[in-house]
Structure formats: structure tokens, C-alpha cells
Amino acid sequence: MSDYPPCRLAVLVSGSGTNLQVIIDKIEAGELNAEIVCVISNKRDAYGLERAGRHGIPAIVHENCSFPDRRSYDAATVEILRSHKVELVILAGFMRILTDVMVNAFPHAIMNIHPALLPAFPGLHAQQQALDYGVRFTGCTVHFVDCGTDTGPIILQSVVPVEQDDTEESLSDRIRSAEHQTFVQAIKLSVDRKISVAGRTVLISP
Ligand code: GAR
């Protein structure tokens, strides 16, 4: 049992939402002291929206086409998040770079999962970048979000081996299994208030 009320999460997705599903399942199993108060997607057809709906979670389509630039889109996102009294923002396959408008509205309260061991292979197609480079190990990183591309303070990482016959798909599948564990662990540390940040270093209390 936690001493704190459930942390109010927003999960932002652009695609299939398998990470979202694991977070939902852990909350429903009582293993994560949190509540998902909304799922937001910049893609109308993101399967993550359907997953949210199935669990009675408000699913919000928030497309960028009607906004003149990234900052005004982010300002509208902040409004949605504030109206839902969100405490922690989870980027679970949300394929947009955030501006200072979002980052400054939620300092050290936006977490992203990236399918590589940062600072190696930031940006798009991280798994293919790892294959092209020929690394023996890659993995996933959960980090706080700043205004750079996958540059924020690192919370947790997991290592995943690269096999000789891996394709982008097989490697992505192996990394995604690691993501499902690592992301929930990181979110749990945050909702249990075990994380503090000193400069670039994330400190985890025992
Ligand atoms: C995950 O592999 C995540 O690391 C990646 O998108 C996938 C989403 O999967 N995110 C990024 O590449 C962000 N730079 P999911 O929709 O099944 O959770």
C-alpha cells in the first residue's frame, strides 16, 4: 500500500500502444499506484486509442494539422493535460519532438521510452541504426524529456543482445519486451516518489 494518492497519468501515443497496454494492466493489477486520466494521440487511427476505450479511459484525438506550428500544438496539449489535472506525462511511442512549451509546463514530469541505449542511436529507426552500426548489444532507455531529441536525463536502461540474423522487426520485438518491463519500473519509481534529478543525473532512493 502506498502513502500517496494514485498519480494522475496521461499517456501519449502515436501507434499500437503495447507499452500503454502494459501500464493499464499493471494499474488494474494493483501494481502501480496510478490512474490514467486520459490517452492522447496525434494520429486518429492509433490503435492505442482503442485500447484506452476498452478500459474506459478517455481517448483524445489531438491532431497537429490545424495548428500553425509545434509550439501552438504543444500549448493546446498543455491545456488538455491541465484540464485533466495530469501529474505525470508518459510518452509511449509518441512520435513528436516536444517544444519548450510542453517541457517547461511539466518539468521532470514527462517520461519517454526510446528503443536504444541512449545516447547511442537517437531519433527515428533506432533499431535499424543499431543493426547498421553492427553493435552486439542495444536496448531501451526511459528518460525525462527535454527540448532535444532523446537527450533528457536517463532514468533506467535495459540491455538487449543483437543476434546475427536479426531483422529490424525481430530486434524491435526483442527490445519491446524489455521496454514493457523497464517502462513500468521507471513509472513505478516516479509514482512512489523515489526519483530526484540533480543536473543530468537521476537519483533513485532505495
Ligand atoms: C516503442 O518501441 C518505443 O520505444 C518507440 O515506439 C514504440 C511504440 O510501441 N518510441 C520511439 O521510437 C520514440 N522515439 P508501442 O506503441 O507498441 O508501445
Side-chain angles (χ1 to χ4, degrees):
M1 274 299 285
S2 170
D3 297 337
Y4 302 110
C7 181
R8 295 177 68 83
L9 308 182
V11 183
L12 276 57
V13 300
S14 298
S16 85
T18 64
N19 280 285
L20 164 66
Q21 187 67 57
V22 174
I23 299 165
I24 293 172
D25 293 346
K26 292 290 177 188
I27 291 172
E28 289 185 353
E31 293 174 36
L32 203 52
N33 182 33
E35 175 190 359
I36 301 177
V37 294
C38 59
V39 168
I40 301 174
S41 179
N42 62 325
K43 301 281 179 201
R44 183 167 293 279
D45 60 351
Y47 188 61
L49 291 169
E50 216 170 300
R51 293 182 193 271
R54 264 195 252 138
H55 291 264
I57 299 166
I60 300 167
V61 177
H62 180 43
E63 291 174 308
N64 61 307
C65 41
S66 53
F67 295 92
D69 53 33
R70 290 167 54 221
R71 295 184 88 239
S72 57
Y73 175 83
D74 278 5
T77 313
V78 169
E79 253 179 58
I80 298 170
L81 296 170
R82 292 245 192 269
S83 72
H84 285 80
K85 297 186 169 47
V86 169
E87 296 170 289
L88 181 63
V89 181
I90 305 295
L91 307 186
F94 187 64
M95 305 307 275
R96 287 181 64 87
I97 307 294
L98 303 189
T99 65
D100 59 314
V101 173
M102 260 288 274
V103 172
N104 294 338
F106 291 91
H108 294 146
I110 308 174
M111 276 187 193
N112 180 47
I113 182 109
H114 182 74
L117 292 174
L118 293 169
F121 314 132
L124 293 175
H125 303 295
Q127 302 91 334
Q128 188 60 50
Q129 290 185 56
L131 289 173
D132 292 344
Y133 201 93
V135 292
R136 299 288 187 198
F137 295 93
T138 180
C140 63
T141 302
V142 183
H143 63 94
F144 285 121
V145 173
D146 63 12
C147 294
T149 304
D150 303 319
T151 51
I154 290 171
I155 304 165
L156 290 179
Q157 296 185 296
S158 294
V159 176
V160 171
V162 179
E163 308 293 349
Q164 203 126 290
D165 56 354
D166 262 334
T167 60
E168 185 176 11
E169 196 187 354
S170 63
L171 181 57
S172 299
D173 287 348
R174 196 174 311 117
I175 292 173
R176 201 167 287 117
S177 300
E179 289 184 4
H180 292 164
Q181 315 267 327
T182 311
F183 213 179
V184 167
Q185 271 175 32
I187 296 167
K188 185 164 170 46
L189 288 171
S190 177
V191 305
D192 292 343
R193 313 212 185 178
K194 292 192 168 165
I195 291 183
S196 57
V197 185
R200 276 207 57 84
T201 306
V202 174
L203 302 166
I204 297 173
S205 57

